[in-house]
Amino acid sequence: MQTPALTLGDALREATQSLAAVSPTPRLDAETLAMHVCGATRAALITRSSESLDTEQYDRLRRLVAHRRAGEPLAYLTGTREFWSLALNVTPAVLIPRPETELLVECALARIPRDADGAVADLGTGSGAIALAIAHERPHCRVIATDTSPAALAVARDNAHHLGIGNVEFRLGDWLAPLGGKQFDIIVSNPPYVRADDPHLQEGDPRFEPKAALVGGLDGLDAIRHIAADARARLRSGGWILLEHGYDQADAVAKILADAGFCDIECHRDLAGNARVIEAR
Ligand code: GLN
């Protein structure tokens, strides 16, 4: 006698139950993994819930659920994360783009006229999220994005390629080092700014992300000090630097920028109300 085939709806319920103990959003996680395995939209998951799932898909879903139960980030399991409406590939070689980083893009775009053909640098680009979002919105600008990790740059180049964004050039090296003698209108960065002893490194997604992309030394400000010290010489007169930073670092970052000779320093809050992006001229 044949056992009745497992339906997509059954598999989703089972996955949700299995994730309930480890995730605050078990249903959402289960749906995201099932969408990935079945190549389906969220709406299709619902309309197809009484369809049977083949064993290969069921096994893949169960394997992914087991990884998620072990804490692995959803974005690494599906290999993708949306940022600024761009579907970016991500791997454990790169930080998973965060929604609050869209504020950095928004502030940078506010400083670049729509048809500008200026030069923009993105330091420590990781998946390329910031550089690609700006390049996409300002197609006449030329963006140079740097990263010290060859594996991260491979992900970023791959993203530029599959998104068809041609006005970004990726260069290997530390912060501003690969920029050569070039001058820029805008320099942006979401550098590592988490304190080395911050307990949130031991929780959730950051446990699986590259430490070099998260940790900015003992006080979290090492990379920001380094960038602030070198950026002025790479900016055209009147050019802007925009940096993401931790919710409690606005005053410290403002002082670092002022000491480095920047003026018109202003801080912007993210949607959660935290001071998150600083800009200076
Ligand atoms: N916002 C990230 C976090 O809190 C940190 C990102 C970064 O260091 N640039 O996990």
Side-chain angles (χ1 to χ4, degrees):
M1 203 176 81
Q2 248 189 328
T3 45
L6 187 88
T7 68
L8 183 51
D10 297 335
L12 263 174
R13 264 188 299 280
E14 185 187 295
T16 305
Q17 263 167 25
S18 165
L19 292 170
V22 291
S23 166
T25 53
R27 177 74 191 186
L28 208 62
D29 290 13
E31 284 178 2
T32 304
L33 295 175
M35 284 158 63
H36 178 65
V37 165
C38 302
T41 61
R42 207 174 294 279
L45 287 187
I46 296 161
T47 54
R48 285 168 52 186
S49 73
S50 55
E51 286 178 23
S52 62
L53 206 61
D54 66 46
T55 25
E56 195 236 331
Q57 285 178 330
Y58 180 58
D59 288 346
R60 273 185 68 203
L61 180 61
R62 286 188 52 157
R63 271 199 301 277
L64 288 173
V65 167
H67 282 281
R68 183 68 186 131
R69 272 178 70 95
E72 283 182 47
L74 268 184
Y76 291 158
L77 294 174
T78 62
T80 172
R81 174 56 44 96
E82 191 165 302
F83 179 82
W84 201 264
S85 298
L86 303 172
L88 297 173
N89 294 333
V90 295
T91 74
V94 301
L95 191 80
I96 300 164
R98 313 279 204 265
E100 60 266 28
T101 301
E102 293 186 337
L103 175 66
L104 181 60
V105 173
E106 211 176 293
C107 293
L109 290 175
R111 295 282 169 211
I112 317 173
R114 196 157 282 282
D115 50 3
D117 59 358
V120 180
D122 173 27
L123 313 177
T125 195
S127 64
I130 299 163
L132 291 166
I134 293 175
H136 178 67
E137 296 291 335
R138 295 292 181 269
H140 304 295
C141 282
R142 178 110 209 110
V143 183
I144 298 186
T146 72
D147 206 287
T148 189
S149 154
L153 277 193
V155 174
R157 285 198 177 103
D158 189 42
N159 279 325
H161 184 76
H162 92 256
L163 294 167
I165 296 173
N167 52 329
V168 187
E169 185 193 329
F170 296 98
R171 295 191 186 171
L172 182 67
D174 247 14
W175 309 123
L176 299 101
L179 300 180
K182 223 175 133 57
Q183 299 251 294
F184 293 84
D185 301 286
I186 304 275
I187 293 178
V188 295
S189 181
N190 172 20
Y193 55 70
V194 179
R195 272 181 285 275
D197 65 355
D198 188 327
H200 109 252
L201 295 167
Q202 263 45 266
E203 295 159 16
D205 289 1
R207 291 172 296 169
F208 294 84
E209 294 181 293
K211 289 293 159 284
L214 282 167
V215 180
L218 285 180
D219 65 355
L221 297 169
D222 283 1
I224 288 176
R225 272 188 291 266
H226 183 109
I227 291 169
D230 290 356
R232 244 188 87 189
R234 291 279 151 271
L235 280 171
R236 296 206 173 109
S237 117
W240 291 88
I241 184 169
L242 297 102
L243 301 172
E244 182 174 321
H245 58 72
Y247 71 95
D248 57 355
Q249 293 172 334
D251 291 344
V253 178
K255 179 162 187 332
I256 291 169
L257 287 170
D259 289 348
F262 286 91
C263 61
D264 296 332
I265 300 169
E266 198 184 332
C267 183
H268 300 268
R269 287 179 188 278
D270 63 20
L271 290 176
N274 293 317
R276 183 62 65 192
V277 168
I278 204 157
E279 61 175 358
R281 204 139 63 109

